[in-house]
Amino acid sequence: MIHINEAVVVEGKYDQIKLSSIIDALILQTHGFRIFQDREQLDLLRHLAETRGLLILTDSDSAGFQIRNFLVGAIGPKYIKHAYIPDVFGKERRKEKPGKEGKLGVEGVPKEVILEALRRSGAIDEQSKALKTPEDQITKQDLFFLELSGCDQSVEKRRQLLNYLQLPEHLSTNALPKVLNAFFTKSEFEQICARIF
């Protein structure tokens, strides 16, 4: 079992069950969209965020991103780390048919995929995440210069990049620099883009 300091937020009970077998952490559910109405649960998450930090691990479908974005807006980004599972298509064993977007949720992806998402978030190995100078940071301006935003072909180029990096397709342009900075220096990212494009 891998210890995670932050409180981990997932959508539902099957996600919680899956994670409980992989990590040693406080794991809380949003109960799907119920978090939008549940003030007590939101207050608890806010308190935990301010005292120990939150790690959000929702599904990579649009519903997962709605919940993630709601929590960031309600709590504040400075207290939150994000773990993103890639778009993996399929059907969970307990379900008769795939979800609306055909993607596996947290409960359905293999353990290794979850561990990689946790590593990428910085929740597992903080020491490997060296401090970056401002010159090493990837910015929205870099995305523009690399034609990943603000150009006619930007949407397609971002889709290719997200697919190559095994990140979810719903990752917004605003969130992309934060995620990329968790994995790469600016020069490493530019080399990846040169390889892809």
Side-chain angles (χ1 to χ4, degrees), residues 112-191:
E112 296 74 29
V113 171
I114 291 173
L115 288 172
E116 181 59 23
L118 294 172
R119 275 189 208 90
R120 287 179 167 195
S121 75
I124 289 180
D125 189 10
E126 285 295 328
Q127 292 178 332
S128 69
K129 207 163 141 185
L131 293 174
K132 294 181 184 177
T133 65
E135 296 80 31
D136 287 336
Q137 293 286 326
I138 301 162
T139 64
K140 284 180 73 176
Q141 188 175 17
D142 294 318
L143 298 183
F144 178 78
F145 287 131
L146 292 165
E147 298 182 345
L148 290 163
S149 70
C151 302
D152 291 339
Q153 66 272 24
S154 295
V155 172
E156 177 57 24
K157 287 183 94 170
R158 268 196 320 276
R159 187 194 63 70
Q160 290 174 3
L161 175 71
L162 293 171
N163 187 45
Y164 181 83
L165 297 175
Q166 295 186 328
L167 292 169
E169 68 179 332
H170 294 291
L171 195 60
S172 72
T173 308
N174 287 333
L176 190 54
K178 288 179 188 173
V179 173
L180 294 171
N181 279 309
F183 313 142
F184 312 109
T185 63
K186 185 191 285 193
S187 62
E188 289 169 338
F189 177 60
E190 288 170 348
Q191 288 171 11

